[in-house]
Amino acid sequence: MRNIRWHAGWPLCVFVFWMYSIDPVVGQVRYSIPEEMSVGSFVGNLAKDLGLDTQRLVSGRARVFTAGDSEYVLLDREKGQLLVKERIDREVLCGDISACSFGFNVILENPMELFRITVEIQDINDNSPVFSKKEIEMEIRESVAPGARFSVESAVDKDVGKNTLQKYILNPTDHFIIKSEGRLDDSDHIELILQQPLDREKKTRHLLTLTAVDGGDPQRTGSVRINVIVLDANDNAPIFSQPAYKASVSENSAKGTLVTTVIATDADEGSGAVVEYVFEHSTSSIRDIFAIDSISGEIRVTGDIDYEKNKQFRIKVTAKDQGGLTDSCGIVIDVIDLNDNVPKITVMSFSSALPEDSVMGTVVAMINVQDLDQGDNAKVTCSINRSLPFKLESTIANYYNLVTESALDREQIAEYNITVSAVDGGKPALSSEQTLTLKISDVNDHAPQFELESYDAHITENNPLSLSFFSLRATDDDEGQNARVSYFIQDGSLNGAPLTSYVSINADSGALYARKHFDYEQIKSFSVLVKAQDGGSPPLSSNATIHISIRDQNDNAPQVLYPVQSGGSVVAEMVPRSADVGYLVTKVVAVDLDSGQNAWLSYKLQKAADRALFEVGLQNGEIRTVRQVTDKDVVKQKLTVIVEDNGQPSRSAAVVVNVVVADNFPEVLSEFTDFTHDKTFNDNLTFYLILALAVVSILFIFSVISIISVKIYRWRQSRLFYKSAANLPVIPYYPPVFPEGTLQRVYNYEMCGTTDSRMSDVKFARPYSQGTLVDVSHMGTMQREHAEQDHGDFTGEQKPPNDWRITQNQRPGPSGAGARPEEGGAVAGTGPWPNPPTEAEQLQALMAAANEVSEATATLGPRYNAQFPMQHVPDYRQNVYIPGSTATLTANPQQAPQQAPQQALQQALPPAQAMPQVDAPKAAQTPGTKKKSSKKEKK
């Protein structure tokens, strides 16, 4: 713990310097750190020292690459710092070599960059001097004179520099002192020097403590006890022939190989001259590799020598005689390198997949090649197969970039096995290989391709919906999503409907499906344009045309065109009795809407008699006689011809041919009516026709009766009017059911009706008065009313006259009294007027009624006069009788209608009683008159 605290206080010294390289991309940085730093300790700010941004380290995926198996540092890319990854022991890393360092590389990608980093390990005083033994026994004869030297095994301190062993301290020093000096093997040579003679009789054993002290701060020490046994005198110590030996041995030397021989001589005789050789202060690694013969001094190989592990060995050999006198020497054994290491290929960075559109010079991999041998054995040449579209470019020593040399095409070669060969310069040369598997990633540079530009597909009519009837496929040389082909139907129409309403296509499989039931008789063929499109970005596509033909199915039965079969008439073919064999009676003509063999028709007779008179042609349908006609043959013959197509299954139709065997037409006609027919359909039709005829007849009879009744009624009304005019004087009559001063108004309606309510029509004629008299002075008012009614005023409301009013005492009644107010209307009785009118008043009333009828037709306008001429309108003025006069009012066609009444008045009335001339009101046309005129017009 004390040593760790001392290390934690050690100041960190970092030395950074740049070294200019041939390649400007590569740089070198050197750091210096003490050993035994804790994990995670700061080594250096790599980003700052390299002049890089931390974002560059992150984006370039900077990492540490070491050629060896151990990684002592790690890179914090976020902060750009180098940190200690594992504790570094300088003594394990470098051994007794004072200058200790290790190197590694920092690699960045996109673009690739390489930086060489060297870290120097500074020694700290973490090892105390250690003796190989805790106690040393030494035998010294008492005869040894002062100044004699006795070799003592030195302490070992693994530290270097000032932290290594600096001095020895011996205690006590009454007989011996310690002295150390450097030797050839760079190790301390420690000797005990006798200061005073020994006296075995006084003291047979001397106990000494030897302490080794290093130069660290704080200092570390190690001690060993030296037990000096005093022997009897032995005057001469062994002496080596030379103070140091040098030897060399090849690595991988076989066991037992002699390395060198050391020789020490002793001037004594007898047992004092016998010298024994031993390794002094030998490590376990030396004892495992070498051994010394204690008698002969031969040093031989006993283990495996590897130049890459140990390039040199330093061994100390001690020669000891029987008297305890010793001498020591150092041996330096150099290991000779052999070409026993094959070059080591290390792939530092490799892109296992490369797009096929990569430009030339794209870096595929960064490769490091190392050979642990030395000299020419470590000179490595790296190469690849020249037939590949790649090459190796050397950046710095033992580093190569694998780059593309030509264009790549995945569709030709999708994968490359690149073998990198490394050959060293040894004799014989050693080589190694490493294969890199590079896959070429796809780029969407190929459009889908159909096998053909056009295809022919067939589908049978009456197909079920969603039937898959054809499949096509397009191939794409690309892969993955770029080779995923989707199928679409291009826009188009057939018979005004889009093609997609007829067929559809599976976007993944390319299968065509029917979306409707096809009918060969409607559509025989059509074409569809299919587009195949891949899933690349942007997508590529190609087109193919599919010609779809509808195959016929036997779904139509034959149709007989001749003879025509009708349910109401019978057509017969006449065959004369003198007809020869093969006489053509008739020909059955039939067609089939199908095609191919489904439309091949064959004809045959059904129910042929034993002695058949006729036969039908199998293919042409001609009915011919097969023998002469005899008297035994039936005159009336009914032939049933079956027309059958050639479909599977076949369909057929039957036609009946009536044949009469006769020589003349009357005979045919007499026999023709006796043919029997199929009355199933005729009976039903006859029933419905008779029923309809009966209904129509009944309706017609009722209509005729109604019209006759109306005509009779109107005729009787007109006769009553004539009788009233002939039996003047006329007494006006007012029905009791109307208000005062009003006349009963009757409307004539003319209606035309149909089963469709929208076509019905209703016409309203002008109102007319039945047997009423009007005042001549009010004809103008009545004309205005007629004019209003002609313009569509059919309110049914009668306005009373303004001028001619019957006073309360003049209103007719049973006793001449007026109506009571509570009775609400005219008096119910019809008695004589209280004050009878004068002859002039009666004449004026008659003239007004006659002129009203005559002028009513004149005011109807040209349209009415065209439909109903004046000669069809009776002139009621011919039947007017003027009391007290022999004149009768007649209509003069050469005079105006207003002049005849005026002349009659002048003849019948005295001058004093003449009344002023007034316009006569127009009379309304009666329905009966209009009906008669319209019928005559139509006739």
Side-chain angles (χ1 to χ4, degrees), residues 198-215:
L198 299 176
D199 188 357
R200 180 180 174 279
E201 287 71 24
K202 291 183 178 180
K203 195 175 182 178
T204 60
R205 187 181 298 271
H206 296 273
L207 297 177
L208 307 176
T209 301
L210 180 62
T211 302
V213 181
D214 61 17

Side-chain angles (χ1 to χ4, degrees), residues 144-166:
V144 174
R149 297 173 177 270
F150 302 94
S151 177
V152 179
E153 181 178 355
S154 62
V156 176
D157 193 341
K158 294 182 179 180
D159 296 326
V160 295
K162 66 177 182 179
N163 295 325
T164 190
L165 187 62
Q166 299 294 326

Side-chain angles (χ1 to χ4, degrees), residues 47 59 143 220 238-239 258 622 649 716 770 773 825:
S59 62
S143 59
R220 291 177 176 267
I239 299 174
L258 178 63
E622 294 178 350
R716 292 184 63 186
Q770 298 179 359
L773 296 178

